[in-house]
Amino acid sequence: MTKFNSRALRRSVLQMAYAGSTVHIACAFSIVEILAVLYRHHLDYPDNDPTSAQRDHLVLSKGHGVMAQYACMHEKGWLSTEELGNYFADGTRLKGLSDAHVPGCEVSSGSLGHGLSVGVGLALATKLKGSSQYCYVVVGDGEMNEGTMWEAMLFATHHRLDQLVVIVDENGFQAMGSTDEVMTPGSFQQKFTAFGFDTVSIDGHDETALEDTLNTLKQRKNGMPKAIIAKTVKGKGVSFMEHDNSWHYTRLNSTTFTQAMAELEQP
């Protein structure tokens, strides 16, 4: 089996969500391939240590998608199967939003619009100490409504943070509706480019495209922060969840869990 197999990761997400009787399944599903590619080939953790001072950083600004990150951390051996099974239970450290108390989660996030600012700070610290470490920040298209995101982008460009890679999960929805209904974002590629980012727009579920784009952008030592606009599908991988924003909050029952798992077992 390929390490960080997307179907296996989504099955882990479903098992967590069902065991914990919690939500945000569709929000996790849209970023599975993005995280799989990052963990498989790009995030460098010396000695597989998520606390190494020389590690790359991954800031999951859309912290409500954390189940996808926990599934990857399980593949890394940082979280046990038993711990995933206790997700969201009383007393567990695995909560419904990204929590910096869990090694590998750089930032407590979920209050949206904050992660990029922290990622920019991490990237600046890396630059000042002359390190080759990268900082990857995964943001949601809905949280781009927040003004702090655009302030952070200006700061990143001003300080020529070319080891900062921002990946926008552009699934077209946020909690209360489509992004166009709530506040029309326009073209993220045009906006990031206008803010001085080296920007590429791709299919966020195409792992080959993600891999090639990350390699290409990182080879460009042009003093520009990097951005990937990853067009994704909320609920990707399960037919009755895709494009249905009710799965932002809907909990699984025994029937929907069985149906979803059956779909993810298919080749």
Side-chain angles (χ1 to χ4, degrees):
M1 184 181 75
T2 304
K3 194 74 170 174
F4 301 106
N5 175 277
S6 61
R7 286 181 180 273
L9 293 172
R10 288 192 170 92
R11 289 197 295 271
S12 289
V13 169
L14 278 182
Q15 288 163 341
M16 276 183 270
Y18 189 53
S21 187
T22 187
V23 297
H24 295 149
I25 302 165
C27 318
F29 276 3
S30 65
I31 58 172
V32 164
E33 283 81 9
I34 295 169
L35 296 190
V37 170
L38 287 175
Y39 276 100
R40 185 187 298 135
H41 288 145
H42 291 275
L43 284 162
D44 183 19
Y45 293 95
D47 300 321
N48 195 32
D49 179 1
T51 66
S52 168
Q54 284 73 47
R55 71 188 184 278
D56 290 331
H57 297 99
L58 171 61
V59 175
L60 184 63
S61 188
K62 49 166 289 180
H64 52 301
V66 74
M67 284 190 289
Q69 187 175 20
Y70 289 156
C72 290
M73 292 164 68
H74 176 248
E75 295 266 317
K76 296 286 289 184
W78 301 342
L79 297 175
S80 68
T81 301
E82 179 182 9
E83 192 161 26
L84 288 193
N86 288 325
Y87 170 76
F88 214 58
D90 287 346
T92 182
R93 62 175 180 166
L94 301 188
K95 302 178 176 64
L97 301 172
S98 184
D99 188 326
H101 291 95
V102 180
C105 291
E106 301 288 355
V107 176
S108 296
S109 58
S111 181
L112 299 173
H114 297 166
L116 183 53
S117 297
V118 178
V120 165
L122 289 168
L124 177 61
T126 294
K127 183 182 177 72
L128 292 175
K129 67 180 181 181
S131 171
S132 60
Q133 296 160 268
Y134 273 86
C135 182
Y136 304 90
V137 185
V138 178
V139 307
D141 51 359
E143 70 174 323
M144 293 303 299
N145 293 354
E146 304 287 346
T148 50
M149 305 296 274
W150 304 96
E151 294 173 25
M153 289 162 63
L154 287 170
F155 188 92
T157 303
H158 176 80
H159 289 280
R160 301 174 63 82
L161 302 180
D162 62 356
Q163 287 165 220
L164 173 72
V165 181
V166 181
I167 303 175
V168 181
D169 172 27
E170 189 179 20
N171 62 41
F173 287 99
Q174 54 198 96
M176 298 303 169
S178 75
T179 52
D180 280 333
E181 290 171 340
V182 177
M183 186 180 294
T184 304
S187 167
F188 286 117
Q189 179 158 6
Q190 291 179 3
K191 286 183 167 64
F192 270 84
T193 299
F195 272 65
F197 278 62
D198 193 350
T199 309
V200 176
S201 183
I202 60 172
D203 177 348
H205 299 298
D206 184 336
E207 295 191 25
T208 300
L210 284 161
E211 182 70 42
D212 291 347
T213 301
L214 283 163
N215 285 329
T216 298
L217 287 176
K218 289 163 66 177
Q219 288 172 2
R220 296 177 187 165
K221 305 298 183 185
N222 52 12
M224 300 170 69
K226 313 298 189 285
I228 297 174
I229 313 305
K231 296 186 181 299
T232 63
V233 174
K234 195 167 184 175
K236 176 71 174 179
V238 173
S239 60
F240 59 86
M241 294 184 182
E242 292 186 357
H243 305 291
D244 182 350
N245 203 40
S246 68
W247 283 97
H248 189 101
Y249 287 124
T250 303
R251 288 178 167 79
L252 291 161
N253 56 38
S254 60
T255 300
T256 52
F257 174 69
T258 301
Q259 290 175 345
M261 287 296 282
E263 288 194 22
L264 292 172
E265 293 288 351
Q266 295 174 7

